[in-house]
Amino acid sequence: QNKKINRYNNKKLLSVTDLCEYLGMGKTTIRKMLSEPNCPYVCRINGRVFANKTILDKYIDQNTGR
C-alpha cells in the first residue's frame, strides 16, 4: 500500500484512475466528487479531469479533524 501511495508523491495532478487508487474509492464516486461545482481541487485540461494533489491533501487534512 505505501509503495502505491509513494508513487504519487512526485505527481502534481492525479487522473481519475490515479485518484481511485490514491483514495481507495470507485470511479463513480470520484467522478461525482470532481463534478461538484465548488470542488476546490479539480483541474480540467483539454477535456480531461484531474485532481490537484496538493490542494486535495490540504482539503482532506482540513476536513477530517487533523
Side-chain angles (χ1 to χ4, degrees):
Q1 179 87 17
N2 282 341
K3 286 183 181 180
K4 287 181 180 179
I5 291 173
N6 288 339
R7 79 181 203 180
Y8 298 116
N9 284 345
N10 295 328
K11 281 191 161 189
K12 194 76 167 159
L13 297 176
L14 301 176
S15 68
V16 170
T17 303
D18 291 341
L19 200 52
C20 289
E21 188 174 300
Y22 186 65
L23 296 178
M25 297 176 160
K27 283 188 177 182
T28 303
T29 302
I30 295 298
R31 289 189 187 282
K32 186 175 180 182
M33 288 170 39
L34 294 174
S35 69
E36 291 292 322
N38 295 323
C39 181
Y41 46 84
V42 70
C43 177
R44 290 177 177 84
I45 301 173
N46 294 329
R48 294 191 62 201
V49 179
F50 299 91
N52 180 310
K53 185 179 171 298
T54 304
I55 297 171
L56 172 66
D57 288 340
K58 286 180 184 177
Y59 178 85
I60 291 170
D61 288 346
Q62 291 172 351
N63 289 281
T64 57
R66 272 183 128 187

